[in-house]
C-alpha cells in the first residue's frame, strides 16, 4: 500500500504512521525526521535546512523532492510506504506524481487527519520527544515514563507553532483539493483518542 498521511503539524501523523508501519510492515518516510537527522549530523543538507526549520518555514521544493526521490529508490519501499509530511506544496505533489509514474507505481490513498488549530497549539507546545527512541509523548495526555530523557523540539515553541500552522494553511491546504479531485482523499477526525483515530484510518483504508 502506498499512502500519504496528510495534515497540519501536530495532528498525529507521526503516531498514526508508526501504528500503520507495524500493521502493514511497510516503512514510514518522514521528511521532517530525515531533515532532523541531517541537522543532528551536521551534514550540508542539515546546515541548509536548519534555519528554515527553526523559523517554521518550508525547506525548498528542490531539496525535498530530491531527498524523497532518492529515498524511494531504496529496497524497503518495494511493497509500499507511508509518506509523512510530504508532499507539502503543489509542486512537491506534482513531482511525486511524476516520480511514481516513472517507476510504474501509483498512490493508493491520501489520509487527511483533521484537528482544529487551537487544539494543535496546545498539543504541540506540550509535545516532548524521547532523545534515545524518538518516541513521542505529551506532558498533558501521554506523559513519558519516569526517568525518560525527553526534549522539546525547537520548532514546538508557541510562536513557531503558529507560524507553521500559517505556512500549512497557505502552502499545504491546497493539496487537499488536489487529492480530492483525484479521488484519493480519505478524511479522518483527529480529535479522538489515538486508537480511535487508528481504527477510523484502518476502516477507511479497509485494512
Ligand atoms: P515536520 O516534522 O514534518 O513538521 O517537519 C519539520 C520541518 O521540516 C518543517 O517545519 C519544515 O521546515 C521541514 N520540512 C519537513 N517536510 C518538508 C517538506 N515536505 N517540504 C518542506 N519542508 C519540510
Amino acid at each position: 500500500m502506498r499512502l500519504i498521511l496528510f495534515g497540519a503539524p501536530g495532528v498525529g501523523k507521526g503516531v498514526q504512521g508508526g501504528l500503520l508501519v507495524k500493521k502493514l510492515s511497510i516503512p514510514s518516510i518522514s521528511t521532517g525526521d530525515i531533515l532532523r537527522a541531517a541537522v543532528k549530523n551536521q551534514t550540508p543538507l542539515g546546515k541548509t535546512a536548519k534555519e528554515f526549520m527553526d523559523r517554521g518555514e518550508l525547506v525548498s521544493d528542490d531539496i525535498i523532492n530530491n531527498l524523497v526521490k532518492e529515498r524511494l529508490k531504496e529496497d524497503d519501499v518495494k511493497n509500499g510506504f507511508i509518506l509523512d509530511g510530504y508532499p507539502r506544496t503543489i509542486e512537491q505533489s506534482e513531482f511525486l506524481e511524476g516520480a511514481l509514474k516513472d517507476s510504474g507505481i501509483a498512490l493508493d490513498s491520501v489520509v487527511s487527519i483533521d484537528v482544529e488549530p487551537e487544539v494543535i497549539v496546545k498539543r504541540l507546545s506540550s509535545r516532548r520527544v524521547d532523545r534515545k527512541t524518538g518516541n513521542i509523548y505529551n506532558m498533558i495526555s501521554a506523559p513519558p515514563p519516569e526517568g525518560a530523557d525527553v526534549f522539546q523540539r525547537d520548532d514546538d515553541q508557541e510562536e513557531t507553532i503558529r507560524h507553521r500552522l500559517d505556512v500549512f494553511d497557505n502552502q499545504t491546504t491546497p493539496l487537499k483539493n488536489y487529492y480530492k479531485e483525484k479521488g484519493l482523499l480519505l478524511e479522518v477526525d483527529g480529535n479522538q483518542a489515538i486508537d480511535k483515530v487508528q481504527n477510523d484510518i484502518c476502516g477507511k483504508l479497509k485494512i
Side-chain angles (χ1 to χ4, degrees):
M1 186 165 276
R2 299 178 184 96
L3 295 179
I4 291 176
L5 276 184
F6 180 84
V11 298
K13 300 188 297 297
V15 170
Q16 297 300 332
L19 295 170
L20 289 172
V21 163
K22 279 193 200 138
K23 184 164 180 117
L24 297 170
S25 301
I26 52 176
S28 163
I29 301 173
S30 155
T31 42
D33 282 351
I34 296 173
L35 293 172
R36 276 184 290 280
V39 170
K40 196 171 168 192
N41 295 326
Q42 299 184 342
T43 66
L45 166 67
K47 282 179 190 159
T48 310
K50 187 178 184 329
E51 55 176 301
F52 291 94
M53 295 171 77
D54 285 348
R55 288 202 309 264
E57 302 280 348
L58 294 185
V59 176
S60 82
D61 287 333
D62 273 358
I63 291 181
I64 299 286
N65 285 337
N66 265 318
L67 188 154
V68 172
K69 189 176 168 195
E70 289 309 307
R71 180 66 184 85
L72 289 176
K73 285 181 186 158
E74 287 176 35
D75 271 350
D76 64 336
V77 302
K78 292 271 179 308
N79 294 323
F81 52 78
I82 299 162
L83 288 170
D84 165 355
Y86 177 91
R88 259 170 148 109
T89 63
I90 290 285
E91 187 172 330
Q92 290 180 15
S93 51
E94 287 172 348
F95 178 89
L96 175 67
E97 201 174 320
L100 294 179
K101 212 173 194 177
D102 288 347
S103 317
I105 52 180
L107 286 172
D108 292 298
S109 296
V110 176
V111 177
S112 173
I113 308 176
D114 300 306
V115 177
E116 290 89 60
E118 280 315 308
V119 177
I120 292 178
V121 172
K122 252 191 219 135
R123 268 196 200 177
L124 285 187
S125 46
S126 49
R127 174 163 78 176
R128 298 291 183 278
V129 184
D130 188 298
R131 212 176 290 279
K132 252 193 230 139
T133 62
N135 285 346
I136 300 161
Y137 296 102
N138 186 289
M139 298 314 280
I140 298 164
S141 57
E146 212 169 304
D149 182 12
V150 295
F151 70 98
Q152 182 173 36
R153 276 171 48 172
D154 287 340
D155 57 354
D156 279 347
Q157 309 287 336
E158 183 165 339
E159 204 180 318
T160 316
I161 295 168
R162 290 193 186 277
H163 186 59
R164 287 163 65 203
L165 291 176
D166 284 344
V167 168
F168 177 81
D169 268 351
N170 295 331
Q171 304 194 52
T172 311
T173 305
L175 296 192
K176 211 166 160 177
N177 247 338
Y178 178 89
Y179 287 119
K180 199 174 201 169
E181 279 167 12
K182 290 185 185 294
L184 293 175
L185 193 74
L186 301 172
E187 294 181 86
V188 169
D189 176 9
N191 280 304
Q192 313 176 82
I194 290 172
D195 55 343
K196 185 81 184 49
V197 176
Q198 180 70 193
N199 236 8
D200 285 3
I201 293 176
C202 293
K204 298 234 165 165
L205 290 173
K206 302 192 174 69
I207 51 172

